Amino acid sequence: MRSSWPLLVAITAVWGVVWVTTQAITDTPLGATASILIGWFLTLLVVLGYPSAMRGPRALGRLSAGSLDDGPDKALAIVNTTLPYLRDGLNEETALRSARVLLPLTGGSSVAIADTTGLLGIAGKRDRDGALAAAGRQAVEVGVRVRNITDDGLEVAIPLRVDDDVVGSLAITYDEGQLPQMRQLDNVASLLSIHLEMAELTQRAQAAADAKLDALRAQINPHFLFNTLNTIASKSRTNPDEARQLLQRLADFFRYTIDQKSQFAEFAHEYFFVRTYLSLEKARFDNRLHLHYDVEPQVLPTRVPVLTIQPLLENAVKHGLAAKAGGGTVSLRARVDPLAGAIKIQVKDDGVGMEPDVLRAVVDGTYKSEQGGVALRNIHQRLDGLYGPRYRFDIRSSPSKGTTVELELPV
């Protein structure tokens, strides 16, 4: 960080010169107001000019900071830090932006990036005769670097790979007399391939996460819909106003499950969703189902994986309390732990619980019965894909005493 001492010395010197000039040297000293205005103006000039004076001449642009001739480490570092958008995949926009970055670094007269179907983006001279496109296709077909000497100079094309499969090419043209550094061009192509592989991995991870989310949507029990519609039909005869409210809540419930395209949502939205779900279950079970909520306001704006809490509550109602004579209580507790940087969520019921062998099978993911375990296993796998080892998912249960599920998710 630039020191402020030179600026302080410069300002002190300015005010010293102003005082000597306006008060000591002149036959008639200037008034205080005039002296202060002059000093203020000069101080402003010094402050505004200070950064430029300290850093020296401005660079013409970020891309002029280096080329392959400046050394491989510097050039490859620039490539690596200026091409993160390739992680969005190879398309016309990312190819054009990448080619523009690479043009001054390679020292060529034109740079083009292509996929297996043809050119996506080109910077520098236009490919009027299709030479770059032809060289790129050749590199894709043979799978190795292509070097063609032409009447105007040189064409170099290097294949780009993802998982050993050629997905495109990097092509550069050089005018006569220009000598490319082949080894460094190979390294640049390798870096581009790494970014493309990261894009592929990201897309695969996203596809897997989306599949898990679709699986959770599909798990919404049809029996729940059937039972809720039966409850609404019954209420429509005895309490039409309540039936209309339940029908609206049912619509809100399914609208939320369909509208959620992202993997994450604010806890406040998930909280509204699970309360909607439990209000529908409450209407069906009536006095057999008691609900308790203990949610800190600090939790509401935090983001959590969508459709994660509701299946836990559904398990508590369906497998914990439905089979218990007289019903019981389902509670939802949520806290933010600022020291651990985590959200702690607890779903608890005082239902029938699970035998130790059943609990072990559920935790191990080997429990095949329809009576629980499936939703818990899917949630566990989804959280593992989203967070890796940075989350905690604990299940405790005792026969006739109930089940407690605790989640700890990073904020």
Side-chain angles (χ1 to χ4, degrees), residues 141-159:
E141 290 171 0
V142 301
V144 295
R145 189 213 307 147
V146 173
R147 188 173 182 268
N148 298 326
I149 299 175
T150 66
D151 295 337
D152 299 326
L154 181 68
E155 298 167 358
V156 179
I158 308 170

Side-chain angles (χ1 to χ4, degrees), residues 284-315:
R284 180 162 72 97
F285 286 98
D286 199 13
N287 291 329
R288 294 183 60 231
L289 175 60
H290 303 280
L291 305 174
H292 178 69
Y293 302 102
D294 183 12
V295 176
E296 284 185 341
Q298 294 88 335
V299 181
L300 299 179
T302 60
R303 293 178 64 79
V304 295
V306 299
L307 304 182
T308 299
I309 306 172
Q310 185 271 335
L312 301 178
L313 292 164
E314 183 174 359
N315 260 17

Side-chain angles (χ1 to χ4, degrees), residues 119-176:
L119 285 184
L120 294 176
I122 183 171
K125 293 181 179 180
R126 290 189 176 183
D127 191 27
R128 290 189 177 91
D129 56 358
L132 273 176
R137 284 195 300 272
Q138 187 180 359
V140 169
E141 290 171 0
V142 301
V144 295
R145 189 213 307 147
V146 173
R147 188 173 182 268
N148 298 326
I149 299 175
T150 66
D151 295 337
D152 299 326
L154 181 68
E155 298 167 358
V156 179
I158 308 170
L160 303 176
R161 301 177 181 275
V162 172
D163 293 338
D164 294 330
D165 296 326
V166 177
V167 298
S169 63
L170 168 67
I172 310 103
T173 60
Y174 291 91
D175 293 334
E176 189 174 358

Side-chain angles (χ1 to χ4, degrees), residues 47 105 185 329 358 371:
V47 171
L105 294 174
L185 290 179
T329 300
V358 175
Q371 297 297 317

Side-chain angles (χ1 to χ4, degrees), residues 296-300 302 333-345 392 407-411:
E296 284 185 341
Q298 294 88 335
V299 181
L300 299 179
T302 60
R333 187 175 187 269
R335 294 283 187 273
V336 171
D337 186 344
L339 296 179
I343 308 165
K344 295 185 177 181
I345 301 169
R392 184 173 63 86
L407 286 180
E408 186 173 315
L409 308 175
V411 176

Side-chain angles (χ1 to χ4, degrees), residues 140-358:
V140 169
E141 290 171 0
V142 301
V144 295
R145 189 213 307 147
V146 173
R147 188 173 182 268
N148 298 326
I149 299 175
T150 66
D151 295 337
D152 299 326
L154 181 68
E155 298 167 358
V156 179
I158 308 170
L160 303 176
R161 301 177 181 275
V162 172
D163 293 338
D164 294 330
D165 296 326
V166 177
V167 298
S169 63
L170 168 67
I172 310 103
T173 60
Y174 291 91
D175 293 334
E176 189 174 358
Q178 292 179 314
L179 296 176
Q181 299 184 27
M182 293 298 182
R183 181 169 173 270
Q184 302 309 325
L185 290 179
D186 288 339
N187 289 337
V188 169
S190 296
L191 278 176
L192 297 184
S193 296
I194 289 173
H195 283 287
L196 292 175
E197 287 187 355
M198 293 177 67
E200 180 72 16
L201 291 173
T202 300
Q203 292 168 3
R204 290 177 184 175
Q206 183 64 41
D210 290 341
K212 289 285 190 294
L213 185 57
D214 290 339
L216 286 173
R217 288 195 185 99
Q219 277 179 4
I220 294 177
N221 201 316
H223 294 294
F224 162 70
L225 175 60
F226 177 76
N227 292 330
T228 301
L229 290 176
N230 273 345
T231 301
I232 293 173
S234 176
K235 296 283 185 181
S236 65
R237 294 189 294 270
T238 60
N239 192 337
D241 290 338
E242 184 180 359
R244 283 193 292 271
Q245 292 177 3
L246 292 175
L247 192 59
Q248 180 61 52
R249 291 173 188 170
L250 183 62
D252 292 339
F253 175 85
F254 281 101
R255 186 181 299 112
Y256 185 84
T257 61
I258 294 172
D259 289 346
Q260 292 306 309
K261 305 302 181 184
S262 173
Q263 293 291 333
F264 293 87
E266 288 187 2
F267 185 92
H269 297 160
E270 286 289 294
Y271 187 35
F272 173 80
F273 174 64
V274 299
R275 292 194 67 146
T276 300
Y277 162 74
L278 288 174
S279 68
L280 294 170
E281 292 286 46
K282 174 68 174 173
R284 180 162 72 97
F285 286 98
D286 199 13
N287 291 329
R288 294 183 60 231
L289 175 60
H290 303 280
L291 305 174
H292 178 69
Y293 302 102
D294 183 12
V295 176
E296 284 185 341
Q298 294 88 335
V299 181
L300 299 179
T302 60
R303 293 178 64 79
V304 295
V306 299
L307 304 182
T308 299
I309 306 172
Q310 185 271 335
L312 301 178
L313 292 164
E314 183 174 359
N315 260 17
V317 173
K318 180 180 177 182
H319 305 302
L321 299 181
K324 180 181 179 180
T329 300
V330 171
S331 63
L332 171 62
R333 187 175 187 269
R335 294 283 187 273
V336 171
D337 186 344
L339 296 179
I343 308 165
K344 295 185 177 181
I345 301 169
Q346 181 190 83
V347 173
K348 184 178 181 180
D349 69 75
D350 56 2
V352 296
M354 289 180 280
E355 296 291 339
D357 57 335
V358 175

